[in-house]
Amino acid sequence: MLAQWRSEATIGGNITAWETIPGRSAKFIPFPNNIHPVLLDALESSGIQALYSHQYQTWQEIKNGHHVAIATSTASGKSLAYNLPIFDQLLHSPNDRALLLFPTKALAQDQLSNINNILMSIAGNTNIVASIYDGDTQRNNRSAIRKNSRMLLSNPDMLHLGVLPHHTAWIDFFQNLRFVVLDEMHNYRGVFGSHIANVLRRLKRIANHYGTQPQFILTSATINNPGELASTLIEAPVKCISQDGSARGPKHFLIYNPPIINPELGLRASALRESVRIAHDLINHGLQTIIFGRSRRSVESMLKTLRELFPVNARQSVRAYRSGYLSQHRRGIEQSLRENKVNAVIATSALELGIDIGGLNASILASYPGTISGAWQQAGRSGRGAETSLAVLVASSNPLDQFFAHNPDYFFLQTPEQALINPDNLLILLQHIQCAAFEIPFKENEPFGNLDSAQMLDLLSMLCIAGFLHKSGNSFYWMSDQYPAAQISLRSTSSTAITLQSLINNKQKTIGVIDEKSAPWMVHPGAIYLHEGNSYQVETLDFEHKIAILNPAEVDYYTIPQQETEVRILDLKDQLPTAGGSKAYGEIAVTSLVSGFKKIRWETQERLGVEKLEPHATVLHTTGYWLTLSAETIQALQASNLWKNEPNQYGPSWKEIADFVRNRDQYLCKV
């Protein structure tokens, strides 16, 4: 197929970079001598005869009592690397417990399946029970899980809301907590990561209250600072293991720039349509493929277009995967991928995580995902074992995509981004100090994480003045009638969901969910909502009852919301000169408004009309950073004819002329 692409002008002629990353052989090391014999028998019976070098190194560092960060490639056996020493410890010490945290419920379900496969091999030789404890866990099962589970799989949100505030119900678990695993830690960056670091502070404080100091094991995909991030998250030295000992086949990584279809206007073919064309070719060659889109709409659009290229009876071999689908729907897609019942899956970044979806042959990135590390993570979803794999980055018309297409060395030679957090951000820190005080009263001379007792005393005193805490003797007690953890969302998105319902076969059926903040622009009345390649028209959106009613619709158009955003500076905190102008920081208010929507025909991209909506505004108060260009810089840009920010005066008849020209050119120009 690659040979055909090289000689095919419509594909090979558009490839601006073709990098071949050589494969590598596996580096094996025999099992350590001190491994539990029951565990050794289970490994050998499952066909594992030795460990990869990074798995062996992980074993050694954990046995030496170090906190560990494992930063090796996708499908390199990181799960086995941390599960082996945990199983061994739990087999030798029948009371010890382990807490395994995953960023999503889906990943926890996937990992439970792997753990249970090992437990089945050693059944009858151990009392190890592994269970999931998250928001989907039945309430009548929770007491038994707290009592019996020695390997508890959960997520940071459940730890924050459902475990730490109720630690007195988990006394036996915390008294015997030996390990804490933080999987896919590269997700814990920015605001989310800063929250997680404080949740871990609370976890360590409660564990210390019950007399334990758990050992942390963290895993990461490709980022530039895995050791630094791990150390910052747990506030302790970490041994970083990054030398990958797993086998890897050769990978061809191509950058494909869609052809110019209108030289006069400089318009290129759609990145989404070119991604579909390449995927169709891959599928016809029998190569299982994953296509990554930037948004839900792009995923559904590519699904609809790709399915239409196949006979009706073969269209279910192409599936989509994204947030908003029901959990049982996503589990079915994952299972179908593992069993090779699906030829292609089109996904958002939801499938960047290490969910087991089997061995895919090719990854297509339908435009640059926004980060170097994200691009390599998506490319890494194809290629298992020693087989050759393929990754194709299809450039969009976005200037950054075009920069990479014309300067591919910048992409291939650039190191992945760093993951940065700030646990001591005052807004985040104060929220978690309140949660920690609710869990266990603070002593007057008690530190919190890296904050010493003097810093903490200032913060605790401030919370006393605000009425949240009360000092009695040398202790600070929680006094508010609020449950603090319930008021804090660890993630930037809304925790409230809108249920999407449709009348199917005369029955009202839930087809998906969407977060409340996205609802005004995704499921406003009149919107065309795409789900598994099918079109639904939104009839009503009810914020009070958290429900949207959709009707199946056979339409030849899709909708785009008209969004307006206004940013107001509320308080200038600081300002400094910088090259070409000044930089500033302060309090801002961001008002977002959906005022209407456009109807766009699928085939021609022609605008069919605009409809107004009753405005629904949301206001976000936050801190912001901005740059201001100096008058001299603007004058220099104007002199070079590079300044495009002044309104153009085209004359009184410009609207009629513009409409005539755009109609003549069949609305190819989107400006």
Side-chain angles (χ1 to χ4, degrees):
M1 191 209 68
L2 292 176
Q4 180 182 316
W5 277 11
R6 288 183 190 274
S7 59
E8 174 61 53
T10 62
I11 295 183
N14 300 318
I15 295 172
T16 62
W18 190 313
E19 291 285 321
T20 303
I21 302 160
R24 62 171 183 262
S25 300
K27 296 179 182 177
F28 290 111
I29 297 179
F31 293 121
N33 295 327
N34 55 342
I35 193 169
H36 196 287
V38 169
L39 187 55
L40 182 61
D41 290 342
L43 291 170
E44 291 177 340
S45 65
S46 63
I48 300 173
Q49 301 299 322
L51 297 180
Y52 292 137
S53 58
H54 65 274
Q55 293 173 332
Y56 183 87
Q57 187 183 356
T58 301
W59 172 280
Q60 293 292 89
E61 296 294 356
I62 290 174
K63 287 297 179 181
N64 288 334
H66 297 130
H67 303 298
V68 169
I70 313 166
T72 54
S73 61
T74 307
S76 60
K78 291 192 284 286
S79 298
L80 185 63
Y82 63 71
N83 278 325
L84 276 183
I86 291 175
F87 276 125
D88 187 79
Q89 180 65 31
L90 269 55
L91 284 166
H92 280 101
S93 301
N95 292 321
D96 282 0
R97 308 290 184 95
L99 174 64
L100 290 78
L101 298 172
F102 303 93
T104 65
K105 295 176 184 177
L107 198 52
Q109 292 280 353
D110 190 59
Q111 290 299 319
L112 179 63
S113 176
N114 294 334
I115 289 170
N116 281 336
N117 287 337
I118 299 176
L119 288 178
M120 286 174 63
S121 302
I122 56 178
N125 295 293
T126 177
N127 66 343
I128 299 175
V129 175
S131 306
I132 289 179
Y133 193 88
D134 60 23
D136 294 338
T137 304
Q138 295 292 327
R139 293 199 173 273
N140 55 355
N141 293 334
R142 294 187 177 188
S143 177
I145 290 173
R146 287 195 294 267
K147 180 179 178 181
N148 300 320
S149 291
R150 297 186 59 209
M151 294 182 74
L152 189 76
L153 286 71
S154 190
N155 54 63
D157 309 82
M158 191 63 179
L159 179 66
H160 159 66
L161 280 170
V163 177
L164 298 182
H166 310 290
H167 60 88
T168 53
W170 295 83
I171 292 175
D172 190 49
F173 186 85
F174 281 112
Q175 285 178 338
N176 295 283
L177 183 58
R178 179 71 176 77
F179 294 107
V180 176
V181 174
L182 207 64
D183 200 24
E184 306 278 358
M185 69 165 173
H186 54 280
N187 287 279
Y188 305 129
R189 63 176 76 190
V191 172
F192 184 36
S194 302
H195 274 294
I196 300 306
N198 279 287
V199 171
L200 295 178
R201 284 171 167 173
R202 290 160 51 199
L203 170 64
K204 291 166 70 175
R205 182 170 179 258
I206 289 172
N208 185 62
H209 176 75
Y210 290 108
T212 56
Q213 292 183 321
Q215 194 172 351
F216 284 85
I217 308 169
L218 305 96
T219 74
S220 177
T222 306
I223 54 173
N224 195 33
N225 61 333
E228 178 190 354
L229 176 62
S231 180
T232 308
L233 279 167
I234 69 170
E235 296 180 309
V238 168
K239 293 284 185 179
C240 186
I241 297 167
S242 57
Q243 293 299 314
D244 195 335
S246 64
R248 176 66 56 186
K251 181 181 288 289
H252 297 274
F253 199 128
L254 284 55
I255 296 181
Y256 176 94
N257 204 14
I260 293 177
I261 56 174
N262 190 317
E264 292 182 6
L265 296 175
L267 295 177
R268 292 186 179 274
S270 160
L272 300 186
R273 290 186 176 271
E274 290 298 288
S275 297
V276 166
R277 184 166 78 99
I278 291 171
H280 185 234
D281 203 17
L282 289 165
I283 295 167
N284 285 339
H285 279 85
L287 300 172
Q288 198 180 30
T289 302
I290 184 169
I291 307 113
F292 284 101
R294 290 295 305 275
S295 65
R296 297 181 182 190
R297 179 178 285 113
S298 66
V299 165
E300 294 289 350
S301 172
M302 287 189 286
L303 176 67
K304 178 182 175 68
T305 307
L306 185 55
R307 277 185 172 174
E308 289 173 352
L309 300 177
F310 292 95
V312 174
N313 62 351
R315 290 180 179 175
Q316 285 303 307
S317 68
V318 180
R319 305 294 297 274
Y321 187 106
R322 59 170 177 79
S323 60
Y325 285 0
L326 300 177
S327 58
Q328 60 268 32
H329 190 163
R330 294 199 299 269
R331 297 300 85 73
I333 296 170
E334 294 160 16
Q335 185 67 23
S336 297
L337 281 164
R338 287 192 290 268
E339 296 174 354
N340 285 318
K341 294 178 180 177
V342 170
N343 295 326
V345 61
I346 307 170
T348 57
S349 57
L351 273 184
E352 280 184 22
L353 297 173
I355 298 169
D356 181 15
I357 53 174
L360 301 175
N361 302 109
S363 304
I364 298 175
L365 286 59
S367 79
Y368 176 63
T371 63
I372 299 288
S373 60
W376 285 108
Q377 181 77 352
Q378 292 182 1
R381 292 305 278 164
S382 63
R384 302 282 164 153
E387 293 184 5
T388 301
S389 63
L390 173 70
V392 184
L393 170 58
V394 180
S396 72
S397 57
N398 182 290
L400 191 54
D401 288 46
Q402 288 302 306
F403 178 82
F404 287 139
H406 290 89
N407 301 274
D409 285 348
Y410 183 87
F411 175 82
F412 288 111
L413 299 178
Q414 193 70 236
T415 56
E417 295 82 5
Q418 295 188 29
L420 302 176
I421 61 173
N422 178 17
D424 296 334
N425 175 285
L426 195 58
L427 295 174
I428 295 171
L429 176 63
L430 284 172
Q431 290 178 322
H432 287 279
I433 289 176
Q434 293 175 59
C435 292
F438 174 87
E439 290 153 5
I440 301 171
F442 273 100
K443 299 294 183 184
E444 195 172 42
N445 59 348
E446 184 181 345
F448 185 63
N450 284 339
L451 298 169
D452 61 33
S453 57
Q455 292 170 305
M456 279 300 297
L457 187 58
D458 287 342
L459 296 173
L460 293 169
S461 300
M462 185 172 69
L463 290 171
C464 283
I465 295 170
F468 292 108
L469 302 183
H470 172 71
K471 187 180 181 186
S472 177
N474 67 342
S475 296
F476 292 85
Y477 296 87
W478 177 255
M479 289 299 294
S480 173
D481 57 357
Q482 294 180 337
Y483 170 40
Q487 312 303 316
I488 302 168
S489 173
L490 301 184
R491 304 170 193 261
S492 57
T493 56
S494 169
S495 56
T496 307
I498 300 290
T499 301
L500 309 180
Q501 291 195 340
S502 181
L503 191 65
I504 300 175
N505 297 327
N506 295 320
K507 290 184 178 180
Q508 206 71 20
K509 183 179 179 182
T510 298
I511 64 168
V513 293
I514 191 170
D515 64 280
E516 187 175 14
K517 288 184 179 178
S518 300
W521 61 272
M522 288 194 71
V523 290
H524 56 75
I528 298 300
Y529 182 80
L530 299 170
H531 183 87
E532 270 283 273
N534 299 314
S535 297
Y536 296 83
Q537 188 164 36
V538 180
E539 182 182 325
T540 58
L541 172 59
D542 186 342
F543 282 101
E544 182 180 352
H545 297 97
K546 313 300 180 191
I547 191 171
I549 303 298
L550 294 73
N551 295 319
E554 293 291 334
V555 293
D556 63 349
Y557 67 90
Y558 61 94
T559 56
I560 298 178
Q562 289 186 310
Q563 294 178 277
E564 302 170 17
T565 302
E566 178 192 60
V567 181
R568 288 186 298 116
I569 299 171
L570 301 177
D571 184 21
L572 179 65
K573 296 289 187 185
D574 200 4
Q575 187 169 9
L576 293 170
T578 189
S582 62
K583 56 185 179 181
Y585 165 78
E587 303 286 338
I588 61 172
V590 183
T591 304
S592 300
L593 181 73
V594 178
S595 58
F597 62 95
K598 294 182 285 187
K599 297 179 178 179
I600 309 293
R601 193 185 298 278
W602 276 108
E603 294 299 323
T604 63
Q605 301 300 297
E606 172 189 0
R607 190 170 78 174
L608 301 177
V610 179
E611 293 195 19
K612 296 295 182 183
L613 290 170
E614 183 178 339
H616 181 91
T618 57
V619 181
L620 171 68
H621 289 273
T622 184
T623 55
Y625 169 84
W626 60 91
L627 298 170
T628 303
L629 300 183
S630 66
E632 293 79 12
T633 300
I634 294 173
Q635 289 169 5
L637 290 167
Q638 288 172 331
S640 303
N641 199 30
L642 294 172
W643 182 252
K644 308 294 183 184
N645 208 39
E646 299 296 337
N648 291 310
Q649 303 299 328
Y650 292 117
S653 302
W654 173 246
K655 186 179 186 308
E656 291 78 9
I657 295 170
D659 288 343
F660 169 78
V661 172
R662 294 186 68 226
N663 180 60
R664 181 198 68 195
D665 293 337
Q666 298 179 331
Y667 296 93
L668 286 171
C669 181
K670 304 300 189 296
V671 181

